[in-house]
Amino acid sequence: MSFATLAEYGRDHCVIDTHNLFVGTTLEDEILLLGADDGLFSDIARECSLFGLQLERGRRLSSYSGGEQSIICCLLLMHLLPKERLSILLVHVLETLSQRNRELLLDRFAALIPDASIFFLTEEGPKPVVNHA
């Protein structure tokens, strides 16, 4: 993640940046580091299957494609973030996905965190994602 992006927008947004999606090397590591229940892996795996993505226990996150990593990270955060009004800034996330997966990811945000506002980063700054359906 660009520290400039985080410094500039991190106060007002939960920033999800493709340049630094994970701290751990596996999804299990990430779940442990975030203090979540181990059962979360199954929930994320079930969600990933909607995208045609099969998670494997112990697989290095870096071995997934950029788009797959974006999906995994977003789904993980959707399950962990509070279900309240949030502003989420996607930095180069939507650009990594096919049209189908982009729409599906935005639909999952709407279903799992319905009160969140989703933004994408442009050269002019954050812009809201609207009318994605």
Side-chain angles (χ1 to χ4, degrees):
M1 175 180 315
S2 165
F3 290 110
T5 302
L6 185 58
E8 188 167 355
Y9 303 111
R11 182 173 301 256
D12 299 321
H13 298 85
C14 171
V15 178
I16 303 174
D17 188 335
T18 57
H19 292 103
N20 191 10
L21 294 170
F22 303 104
V23 176
T25 57
T26 66
L27 183 55
E28 292 92 341
D29 290 344
E30 202 72 16
I31 290 169
L32 179 66
L33 289 168
L34 294 169
D37 183 88
D38 189 46
L40 183 56
F41 183 92
S42 297
D43 295 337
I44 303 301
R46 188 171 34 260
E47 291 278 345
C48 281
S49 69
L50 298 172
F51 294 84
L53 172 58
Q54 297 303 119
L55 291 184
E56 300 170 35
R57 287 193 177 273
R59 182 174 170 184
R60 296 181 67 83
L61 289 164
S62 61
S63 71
Y64 292 98
S65 74
E68 291 170 336
Q69 289 180 44
S70 293
I71 291 167
I72 294 166
C73 179
C74 287
L75 290 172
L76 177 63
L77 290 175
M78 284 181 220
H79 282 273
L80 293 174
L81 289 171
K83 308 303 183 223
E84 59 190 41
R85 189 142 182 79
L86 298 169
S87 292
I88 299 171
L89 177 59
L90 303 176
V91 180
H92 305 298
V93 169
L94 298 177
E95 298 89 336
T96 67
L97 304 176
S98 67
Q99 180 68 29
R100 176 195 173 277
N101 284 346
R102 188 172 29 254
E103 296 295 331
L104 185 54
L105 186 70
L106 293 171
D107 287 344
R108 297 313 301 145
F109 269 114
L112 295 171
I113 312 176
D115 292 332
S117 298
I118 310 298
F119 297 83
F120 64 99
L121 189 59
T122 69
E123 289 182 13
E124 295 82 35
K127 299 289 183 202
V129 174
V130 293
N131 300 328
H132 72 274

PDB file of all heavy atoms in Angstrom, residues 18 48 50-53 65-71 90 92-107 132:
ATOM      1  N   THR A  18      -4.411  -2.894  -3.561  1.00  0.00           N
ATOM      2  CA  THR A  18      -3.833  -4.117  -4.128  1.00  0.00           C
ATOM      3  C   THR A  18      -2.333  -4.218  -3.920  1.00  0.00           C
ATOM      4  O   THR A  18      -1.772  -5.296  -4.031  1.00  0.00           O
ATOM      5  CB  THR A  18      -4.112  -4.230  -5.645  1.00  0.00           C
ATOM      6  OG1 THR A  18      -3.603  -3.072  -6.291  1.00  0.00           O
ATOM      7  CG2 THR A  18      -5.576  -4.405  -5.915  1.00  0.00           C
ATOM      8  N   CYS A  48     -15.728 -17.514  -1.788  1.00  0.00           N
ATOM      9  CA  CYS A  48     -14.823 -17.550  -2.947  1.00  0.00           C
ATOM     10  C   CYS A  48     -15.347 -18.466  -4.041  1.00  0.00           C
ATOM     11  O   CYS A  48     -15.139 -18.202  -5.232  1.00  0.00           O
ATOM     12  CB  CYS A  48     -13.419 -17.989  -2.513  1.00  0.00           C
ATOM     13  SG  CYS A  48     -12.463 -16.671  -1.737  1.00  0.00           S
ATOM     14  N   LEU A  50     -18.245 -18.717  -5.096  1.00  0.00           N
ATOM     15  CA  LEU A  50     -19.164 -17.956  -5.951  1.00  0.00           C
ATOM     16  C   LEU A  50     -18.428 -17.329  -7.127  1.00  0.00           C
ATOM     17  O   LEU A  50     -19.003 -17.084  -8.176  1.00  0.00           O
ATOM     18  CB  LEU A  50     -19.856 -16.852  -5.141  1.00  0.00           C
ATOM     19  CG  LEU A  50     -20.732 -17.281  -3.975  1.00  0.00           C
ATOM     20  CD1 LEU A  50     -21.177 -16.064  -3.174  1.00  0.00           C
ATOM     21  CD2 LEU A  50     -21.924 -18.068  -4.482  1.00  0.00           C
ATOM     22  N   PHE A  51     -17.135 -17.051  -6.922  1.00  0.00           N
ATOM     23  CA  PHE A  51     -16.291 -16.440  -7.952  1.00  0.00           C
ATOM     24  C   PHE A  51     -15.552 -17.489  -8.790  1.00  0.00           C
ATOM     25  O   PHE A  51     -14.738 -17.139  -9.632  1.00  0.00           O
ATOM     26  CB  PHE A  51     -15.248 -15.521  -7.284  1.00  0.00           C
ATOM     27  CG  PHE A  51     -15.837 -14.327  -6.613  1.00  0.00           C
ATOM     28  CD1 PHE A  51     -16.334 -14.407  -5.323  1.00  0.00           C
ATOM     29  CD2 PHE A  51     -15.897 -13.107  -7.263  1.00  0.00           C
ATOM     30  CE1 PHE A  51     -16.871 -13.300  -4.689  1.00  0.00           C
ATOM     31  CE2 PHE A  51     -16.440 -11.992  -6.639  1.00  0.00           C
ATOM     32  CZ  PHE A  51     -16.933 -12.094  -5.352  1.00  0.00           C
ATOM     33  N   GLY A  52     -15.793 -18.780  -8.489  1.00  0.00           N
ATOM     34  CA  GLY A  52     -15.072 -19.842  -9.172  1.00  0.00           C
ATOM     35  C   GLY A  52     -13.666 -20.018  -8.633  1.00  0.00           C
ATOM     36  O   GLY A  52     -12.804 -20.599  -9.294  1.00  0.00           O
ATOM     37  N   LEU A  53     -13.424 -19.539  -7.438  1.00  0.00           N
ATOM     38  CA  LEU A  53     -12.106 -19.579  -6.807  1.00  0.00           C
ATOM     39  C   LEU A  53     -12.121 -20.614  -5.688  1.00  0.00           C
ATOM     40  O   LEU A  53     -12.940 -20.529  -4.776  1.00  0.00           O
ATOM     41  CB  LEU A  53     -11.768 -18.191  -6.255  1.00  0.00           C
ATOM     42  CG  LEU A  53     -10.535 -18.022  -5.393  1.00  0.00           C
ATOM     43  CD1 LEU A  53      -9.275 -18.450  -6.124  1.00  0.00           C
ATOM     44  CD2 LEU A  53     -10.419 -16.566  -4.952  1.00  0.00           C
ATOM     45  N   SER A  65      -3.619 -15.252  -8.203  1.00  0.00           N
ATOM     46  CA  SER A  65      -3.487 -14.106  -9.105  1.00  0.00           C
ATOM     47  C   SER A  65      -3.848 -12.820  -8.362  1.00  0.00           C
ATOM     48  O   SER A  65      -4.455 -12.860  -7.277  1.00  0.00           O
ATOM     49  CB  SER A  65      -4.403 -14.279 -10.320  1.00  0.00           C
ATOM     50  OG  SER A  65      -5.763 -14.046  -9.939  1.00  0.00           O
ATOM     51  N   GLY A  66      -3.510 -11.685  -8.946  1.00  0.00           N
ATOM     52  CA  GLY A  66      -3.824 -10.404  -8.329  1.00  0.00           C
ATOM     53  C   GLY A  66      -5.311 -10.223  -8.085  1.00  0.00           C
ATOM     54  O   GLY A  66      -5.727  -9.757  -7.022  1.00  0.00           O
ATOM     55  N   GLY A  67      -6.125 -10.600  -9.057  1.00  0.00           N
ATOM     56  CA  GLY A  67      -7.571 -10.497  -8.897  1.00  0.00           C
ATOM     57  C   GLY A  67      -8.089 -11.424  -7.811  1.00  0.00           C
ATOM     58  O   GLY A  67      -8.955 -11.046  -7.016  1.00  0.00           O
ATOM     59  N   GLU A  68      -7.545 -12.641  -7.765  1.00  0.00           N
ATOM     60  CA  GLU A  68      -7.946 -13.591  -6.717  1.00  0.00           C
ATOM     61  C   GLU A  68      -7.573 -13.067  -5.340  1.00  0.00           C
ATOM     62  O   GLU A  68      -8.361 -13.160  -4.394  1.00  0.00           O
ATOM     63  CB  GLU A  68      -7.304 -14.951  -6.971  1.00  0.00           C
ATOM     64  CG  GLU A  68      -7.850 -15.662  -8.183  1.00  0.00           C
ATOM     65  CD  GLU A  68      -7.056 -16.895  -8.591  1.00  0.00           C
ATOM     66  OE1 GLU A  68      -5.852 -16.986  -8.261  1.00  0.00           O
ATOM     67  OE2 GLU A  68      -7.651 -17.776  -9.251  1.00  0.00           O
ATOM     68  N   GLN A  69      -6.391 -12.481  -5.218  1.00  0.00           N
ATOM     69  CA  GLN A  69      -5.973 -11.908  -3.938  1.00  0.00           C
ATOM     70  C   GLN A  69      -6.915 -10.772  -3.523  1.00  0.00           C
ATOM     71  O   GLN A  69      -7.283 -10.668  -2.348  1.00  0.00           O
ATOM     72  CB  GLN A  69      -4.542 -11.382  -4.023  1.00  0.00           C
ATOM     73  CG  GLN A  69      -3.493 -12.466  -4.118  1.00  0.00           C
ATOM     74  CD  GLN A  69      -2.102 -11.883  -4.202  1.00  0.00           C
ATOM     75  OE1 GLN A  69      -1.759 -10.965  -3.471  1.00  0.00           O
ATOM     76  NE2 GLN A  69      -1.294 -12.425  -5.115  1.00  0.00           N
ATOM     77  N   SER A  70      -7.295  -9.949  -4.477  1.00  0.00           N
ATOM     78  CA  SER A  70      -8.229  -8.851  -4.171  1.00  0.00           C
ATOM     79  C   SER A  70      -9.557  -9.390  -3.659  1.00  0.00           C
ATOM     80  O   SER A  70     -10.115  -8.876  -2.683  1.00  0.00           O
ATOM     81  CB  SER A  70      -8.466  -7.985  -5.412  1.00  0.00           C
ATOM     82  OG  SER A  70      -7.300  -7.288  -5.773  1.00  0.00           O
ATOM     83  N   ILE A  71     -10.069 -10.418  -4.306  1.00  0.00           N
ATOM     84  CA  ILE A  71     -11.338 -11.033  -3.891  1.00  0.00           C
ATOM     85  C   ILE A  71     -11.204 -11.594  -2.481  1.00  0.00           C
ATOM     86  O   ILE A  71     -12.061 -11.346  -1.623  1.00  0.00           O
ATOM     87  CB  ILE A  71     -11.756 -12.132  -4.890  1.00  0.00           C
ATOM     88  CG1 ILE A  71     -12.163 -11.508  -6.224  1.00  0.00           C
ATOM     89  CG2 ILE A  71     -12.888 -12.989  -4.316  1.00  0.00           C
ATOM     90  CD1 ILE A  71     -12.297 -12.499  -7.374  1.00  0.00           C
ATOM     91  N   LEU A  90     -11.454   1.401  -2.407  1.00  0.00           N
ATOM     92  CA  LEU A  90     -10.793   0.336  -3.161  1.00  0.00           C
ATOM     93  C   LEU A  90      -9.758   0.976  -4.085  1.00  0.00           C
ATOM     94  O   LEU A  90     -10.106   1.766  -4.955  1.00  0.00           O
ATOM     95  CB  LEU A  90     -11.822  -0.447  -3.974  1.00  0.00           C
ATOM     96  CG  LEU A  90     -12.970  -1.069  -3.175  1.00  0.00           C
ATOM     97  CD1 LEU A  90     -13.971  -1.727  -4.115  1.00  0.00           C
ATOM     98  CD2 LEU A  90     -12.447  -2.059  -2.147  1.00  0.00           C
ATOM     99  N   HIS A  92      -7.196   0.291  -6.869  1.00  0.00           N
ATOM    100  CA  HIS A  92      -6.821  -0.633  -7.939  1.00  0.00           C
ATOM    101  C   HIS A  92      -7.404  -2.031  -7.755  1.00  0.00           C
ATOM    102  O   HIS A  92      -6.903  -2.987  -8.346  1.00  0.00           O
ATOM    103  CB  HIS A  92      -5.297  -0.719  -8.093  1.00  0.00           C
ATOM    104  CG  HIS A  92      -4.642   0.602  -8.294  1.00  0.00           C
ATOM    105  ND1 HIS A  92      -4.899   1.395  -9.375  1.00  0.00           N
ATOM    106  CD2 HIS A  92      -3.777   1.283  -7.521  1.00  0.00           C
ATOM    107  CE1 HIS A  92      -4.205   2.502  -9.280  1.00  0.00           C
ATOM    108  NE2 HIS A  92      -3.522   2.472  -8.161  1.00  0.00           N
ATOM    109  N   VAL A  93      -8.446  -2.172  -6.959  1.00  0.00           N
ATOM    110  CA  VAL A  93      -9.062  -3.483  -6.732  1.00  0.00           C
ATOM    111  C   VAL A  93      -9.986  -3.835  -7.888  1.00  0.00           C
ATOM    112  O   VAL A  93      -9.875  -4.909  -8.485  1.00  0.00           O
ATOM    113  CB  VAL A  93      -9.826  -3.517  -5.388  1.00  0.00           C
ATOM    114  CG1 VAL A  93     -10.680  -4.773  -5.267  1.00  0.00           C
ATOM    115  CG2 VAL A  93      -8.851  -3.410  -4.221  1.00  0.00           C
ATOM    116  N   LEU A  94     -10.904  -2.951  -8.213  1.00  0.00           N
ATOM    117  CA  LEU A  94     -11.885  -3.266  -9.257  1.00  0.00           C
ATOM    118  C   LEU A  94     -11.222  -3.478 -10.610  1.00  0.00           C
ATOM    119  O   LEU A  94     -11.689  -4.286 -11.420  1.00  0.00           O
ATOM    120  CB  LEU A  94     -12.944  -2.165  -9.331  1.00  0.00           C
ATOM    121  CG  LEU A  94     -13.770  -1.983  -8.053  1.00  0.00           C
ATOM    122  CD1 LEU A  94     -14.731  -0.812  -8.210  1.00  0.00           C
ATOM    123  CD2 LEU A  94     -14.510  -3.261  -7.691  1.00  0.00           C
ATOM    124  N   GLU A  95     -10.105  -2.788 -10.839  1.00  0.00           N
ATOM    125  CA  GLU A  95      -9.403  -2.915 -12.116  1.00  0.00           C
ATOM    126  C   GLU A  95      -8.765  -4.290 -12.292  1.00  0.00           C
ATOM    127  O   GLU A  95      -8.431  -4.677 -13.407  1.00  0.00           O
ATOM    128  CB  GLU A  95      -8.307  -1.842 -12.228  1.00  0.00           C
ATOM    129  CG  GLU A  95      -8.809  -0.421 -12.215  1.00  0.00           C
ATOM    130  CD  GLU A  95      -8.934   0.178 -10.815  1.00  0.00           C
ATOM    131  OE1 GLU A  95      -9.072  -0.565  -9.830  1.00  0.00           O
ATOM    132  OE2 GLU A  95      -8.892   1.412 -10.718  1.00  0.00           O
ATOM    133  N   THR A  96      -8.577  -5.034 -11.214  1.00  0.00           N
ATOM    134  CA  THR A  96      -7.949  -6.357 -11.301  1.00  0.00           C
ATOM    135  C   THR A  96      -8.955  -7.447 -11.646  1.00  0.00           C
ATOM    136  O   THR A  96      -8.557  -8.591 -11.849  1.00  0.00           O
ATOM    137  CB  THR A  96      -7.257  -6.748  -9.971  1.00  0.00           C
ATOM    138  OG1 THR A  96      -8.241  -6.941  -8.958  1.00  0.00           O
ATOM    139  CG2 THR A  96      -6.240  -5.714  -9.551  1.00  0.00           C
ATOM    140  N   LEU A  97     -10.232  -7.100 -11.716  1.00  0.00           N
ATOM    141  CA  LEU A  97     -11.288  -8.107 -11.851  1.00  0.00           C
ATOM    142  C   LEU A  97     -11.993  -8.045 -13.201  1.00  0.00           C
ATOM    143  O   LEU A  97     -12.102  -6.980 -13.809  1.00  0.00           O
ATOM    144  CB  LEU A  97     -12.332  -7.910 -10.750  1.00  0.00           C
ATOM    145  CG  LEU A  97     -11.817  -7.929  -9.317  1.00  0.00           C
ATOM    146  CD1 LEU A  97     -12.950  -7.617  -8.356  1.00  0.00           C
ATOM    147  CD2 LEU A  97     -11.160  -9.249  -8.996  1.00  0.00           C
ATOM    148  N   SER A  98     -12.503  -9.198 -13.604  1.00  0.00           N
ATOM    149  CA  SER A  98     -13.361  -9.240 -14.787  1.00  0.00           C
ATOM    150  C   SER A  98     -14.661  -8.504 -14.456  1.00  0.00           C
ATOM    151  O   SER A  98     -14.982  -8.274 -13.289  1.00  0.00           O
ATOM    152  CB  SER A  98     -13.678 -10.696 -15.155  1.00  0.00           C
ATOM    153  OG  SER A  98     -14.498 -11.284 -14.145  1.00  0.00           O
ATOM    154  N   GLN A  99     -15.406  -8.139 -15.485  1.00  0.00           N
ATOM    155  CA  GLN A  99     -16.688  -7.452 -15.282  1.00  0.00           C
ATOM    156  C   GLN A  99     -17.598  -8.283 -14.379  1.00  0.00           C
ATOM    157  O   GLN A  99     -18.201  -7.752 -13.447  1.00  0.00           O
ATOM    158  CB  GLN A  99     -17.372  -7.189 -16.631  1.00  0.00           C
ATOM    159  CG  GLN A  99     -18.708  -6.488 -16.516  1.00  0.00           C
ATOM    160  CD  GLN A  99     -18.595  -5.060 -16.025  1.00  0.00           C
ATOM    161  OE1 GLN A  99     -17.592  -4.396 -16.249  1.00  0.00           O
ATOM    162  NE2 GLN A  99     -19.610  -4.582 -15.346  1.00  0.00           N
ATOM    163  N   ARG A 100     -17.677  -9.574 -14.621  1.00  0.00           N
ATOM    164  CA  ARG A 100     -18.521 -10.471 -13.811  1.00  0.00           C
ATOM    165  C   ARG A 100     -18.098 -10.447 -12.350  1.00  0.00           C
ATOM    166  O   ARG A 100     -18.915 -10.280 -11.452  1.00  0.00           O
ATOM    167  CB  ARG A 100     -18.453 -11.896 -14.345  1.00  0.00           C
ATOM    168  CG  ARG A 100     -19.223 -12.898 -13.514  1.00  0.00           C
ATOM    169  CD  ARG A 100     -18.819 -14.348 -13.860  1.00  0.00           C
ATOM    170  NE  ARG A 100     -19.412 -15.291 -12.969  1.00  0.00           N
ATOM    171  CZ  ARG A 100     -18.921 -15.611 -11.769  1.00  0.00           C
ATOM    172  NH1 ARG A 100     -17.840 -15.041 -11.301  1.00  0.00           N
ATOM    173  NH2 ARG A 100     -19.526 -16.511 -11.011  1.00  0.00           N
ATOM    174  N   ASN A 101     -16.800 -10.614 -12.094  1.00  0.00           N
ATOM    175  CA  ASN A 101     -16.323 -10.657 -10.712  1.00  0.00           C
ATOM    176  C   ASN A 101     -16.411  -9.298 -10.031  1.00  0.00           C
ATOM    177  O   ASN A 101     -16.646  -9.211  -8.831  1.00  0.00           O
ATOM    178  CB  ASN A 101     -14.904 -11.214 -10.643  1.00  0.00           C
ATOM    179  CG  ASN A 101     -14.883 -12.713 -10.817  1.00  0.00           C
ATOM    180  OD1 ASN A 101     -15.914 -13.384 -10.740  1.00  0.00           O
ATOM    181  ND2 ASN A 101     -13.708 -13.263 -11.056  1.00  0.00           N
ATOM    182  N   ARG A 102     -16.248  -8.232 -10.798  1.00  0.00           N
ATOM    183  CA  ARG A 102     -16.400  -6.880 -10.256  1.00  0.00           C
ATOM    184  C   ARG A 102     -17.828  -6.685  -9.754  1.00  0.00           C
ATOM    185  O   ARG A 102     -18.064  -6.242  -8.625  1.00  0.00           O
ATOM    186  CB  ARG A 102     -16.041  -5.858 -11.342  1.00  0.00           C
ATOM    187  CG  ARG A 102     -15.971  -4.452 -10.892  1.00  0.00           C
ATOM    188  CD  ARG A 102     -15.413  -3.481 -11.948  1.00  0.00           C
ATOM    189  NE  ARG A 102     -15.623  -3.801 -13.331  1.00  0.00           N
ATOM    190  CZ  ARG A 102     -14.676  -4.255 -14.172  1.00  0.00           C
ATOM    191  NH1 ARG A 102     -13.443  -4.432 -13.767  1.00  0.00           N
ATOM    192  NH2 ARG A 102     -14.969  -4.518 -15.420  1.00  0.00           N
ATOM    193  N   GLU A 103     -18.801  -7.041 -10.586  1.00  0.00           N
ATOM    194  CA  GLU A 103     -20.211  -6.920 -10.202  1.00  0.00           C
ATOM    195  C   GLU A 103     -20.531  -7.816  -9.002  1.00  0.00           C
ATOM    196  O   GLU A 103     -21.228  -7.392  -8.075  1.00  0.00           O
ATOM    197  CB  GLU A 103     -21.121  -7.277 -11.383  1.00  0.00           C
ATOM    198  CG  GLU A 103     -20.993  -6.350 -12.572  1.00  0.00           C
ATOM    199  CD  GLU A 103     -21.436  -4.929 -12.272  1.00  0.00           C
ATOM    200  OE1 GLU A 103     -22.302  -4.720 -11.407  1.00  0.00           O
ATOM    201  OE2 GLU A 103     -20.895  -4.003 -12.915  1.00  0.00           O
ATOM    202  N   LEU A 104     -20.021  -9.031  -9.029  1.00  0.00           N
ATOM    203  CA  LEU A 104     -20.265  -9.965  -7.927  1.00  0.00           C
ATOM    204  C   LEU A 104     -19.647  -9.456  -6.626  1.00  0.00           C
ATOM    205  O   LEU A 104     -20.270  -9.529  -5.567  1.00  0.00           O
ATOM    206  CB  LEU A 104     -19.721 -11.354  -8.286  1.00  0.00           C
ATOM    207  CG  LEU A 104     -19.997 -12.475  -7.294  1.00  0.00           C
ATOM    208  CD1 LEU A 104     -21.477 -12.605  -6.966  1.00  0.00           C
ATOM    209  CD2 LEU A 104     -19.469 -13.798  -7.866  1.00  0.00           C
ATOM    210  N   LEU A 105     -18.440  -8.907  -6.693  1.00  0.00           N
ATOM    211  CA  LEU A 105     -17.798  -8.376  -5.489  1.00  0.00           C
ATOM    212  C   LEU A 105     -18.604  -7.211  -4.913  1.00  0.00           C
ATOM    213  O   LEU A 105     -18.841  -7.147  -3.704  1.00  0.00           O
ATOM    214  CB  LEU A 105     -16.368  -7.934  -5.790  1.00  0.00           C
ATOM    215  CG  LEU A 105     -15.576  -7.492  -4.560  1.00  0.00           C
ATOM    216  CD1 LEU A 105     -15.261  -8.683  -3.656  1.00  0.00           C
ATOM    217  CD2 LEU A 105     -14.288  -6.805  -4.980  1.00  0.00           C
ATOM    218  N   LEU A 106     -19.050  -6.318  -5.772  1.00  0.00           N
ATOM    219  CA  LEU A 106     -19.857  -5.195  -5.306  1.00  0.00           C
ATOM    220  C   LEU A 106     -21.187  -5.674  -4.731  1.00  0.00           C
ATOM    221  O   LEU A 106     -21.674  -5.127  -3.728  1.00  0.00           O
ATOM    222  CB  LEU A 106     -20.059  -4.179  -6.432  1.00  0.00           C
ATOM    223  CG  LEU A 106     -18.783  -3.455  -6.866  1.00  0.00           C
ATOM    224  CD1 LEU A 106     -19.039  -2.635  -8.122  1.00  0.00           C
ATOM    225  CD2 LEU A 106     -18.207  -2.591  -5.743  1.00  0.00           C
ATOM    226  N   ASP A 107     -21.771  -6.709  -5.315  1.00  0.00           N
ATOM    227  CA  ASP A 107     -22.992  -7.303  -4.768  1.00  0.00           C
ATOM    228  C   ASP A 107     -22.746  -7.897  -3.389  1.00  0.00           C
ATOM    229  O   ASP A 107     -23.582  -7.792  -2.498  1.00  0.00           O
ATOM    230  CB  ASP A 107     -23.540  -8.386  -5.699  1.00  0.00           C
ATOM    231  CG  ASP A 107     -24.171  -7.830  -6.963  1.00  0.00           C
ATOM    232  OD1 ASP A 107     -24.464  -6.613  -7.016  1.00  0.00           O
ATOM    233  OD2 ASP A 107     -24.361  -8.614  -7.914  1.00  0.00           O
ATOM    234  N   HIS A 132     -23.775  -0.042 -10.065  1.00  0.00           N
ATOM    235  CA  HIS A 132     -22.929  -1.126 -10.567  1.00  0.00           C
ATOM    236  C   HIS A 132     -23.727  -2.282 -11.106  1.00  0.00           C
ATOM    237  O   HIS A 132     -23.219  -3.106 -11.829  1.00  0.00           O
ATOM    238  CB  HIS A 132     -21.970  -1.612  -9.466  1.00  0.00           C
ATOM    239  CG  HIS A 132     -22.660  -2.384  -8.396  1.00  0.00           C
ATOM    240  ND1 HIS A 132     -23.249  -1.769  -7.323  1.00  0.00           N
ATOM    241  CD2 HIS A 132     -22.852  -3.702  -8.234  1.00  0.00           C
ATOM    242  CE1 HIS A 132     -23.766  -2.686  -6.537  1.00  0.00           C
ATOM    243  NE2 HIS A 132     -23.548  -3.860  -7.072  1.00  0.00           N
TER     244      HIS A 132
END
